[in-house]
Amino acid sequence: MWKHNFLFRAEGAVPLEQTENELFHDTDPALDSSGLQMDKYISVWLQGDGDEAKPLVYTTVYVRTATLDPEKGVGFLQPLQGRTHQIKSMLSSEQKMYLRQWLSNTYPPAWEESDDLFQSIFSES
């Protein structure tokens, strides 16, 4: 199975260099949010058929919100959302556009083989 993660600042149009695993690996769950200065993120997990290096077809996308207080090293990772309407409402137009361009340009055959429902997640509407 092929998988790839993009981590965006909640209002950002371009993903960070770090993945969710890299940024949140050494953080503890926040037990109480009082006094925390939380940065907000959107984490996008893409999956597809193929090997780890190259997808043959994109099959699934999951999105979750996350918050992190980088100074205290604590945060919250919300559960993954996999329903199309939830994902479309969580991603900004700019994030959808970035992901659509990345998916279609990085592995064009995998994008072409993806079903219409998968591709529709990254449409403007």
Side-chain angles (χ1 to χ4, degrees), residues 2-112:
W2 176 88
K3 61 184 174 181
H4 192 83
N5 175 244
F6 289 98
L7 185 64
F8 294 89
R9 290 204 179 272
E11 301 302 322
V14 177
L16 304 173
E17 289 186 21
Q18 300 108 319
T19 65
E20 175 186 307
N21 291 340
E22 292 167 337
L23 191 61
F24 286 87
H25 182 265
D26 293 326
T27 61
D28 293 319
L31 301 175
D32 182 5
S33 63
S34 63
L36 298 178
Q37 300 297 315
M38 300 300 241
D39 294 338
K40 296 179 182 176
Y41 300 91
I42 300 286
S43 181
V44 180
W45 285 96
L46 301 166
Q47 293 179 343
D49 294 338
D51 60 34
E52 291 182 21
K54 183 179 176 184
L56 301 174
V57 60
Y58 301 120
T59 57
T60 314
V61 60
Y62 297 101
V63 176
R64 74 161 117 212
T65 58
T67 55
L68 175 68
D69 183 325
E71 289 191 26
K72 296 186 178 169
V74 297
F76 300 102
L77 284 170
Q78 298 299 323
L80 291 168
Q81 303 295 324
R83 295 191 173 173
T84 302
H85 70 280
Q86 293 167 321
I87 295 168
K88 288 182 87 161
S89 68
M90 292 171 76
L91 295 173
S92 70
S93 294
E94 294 83 8
Q95 291 163 346
K96 287 185 237 178
M97 183 172 55
Y98 178 91
L99 292 166
R100 182 177 57 249
Q101 288 177 345
W102 188 90
L103 289 162
S104 63
N105 292 335
T106 306
Y107 301 107
W111 178 254
E112 294 296 325

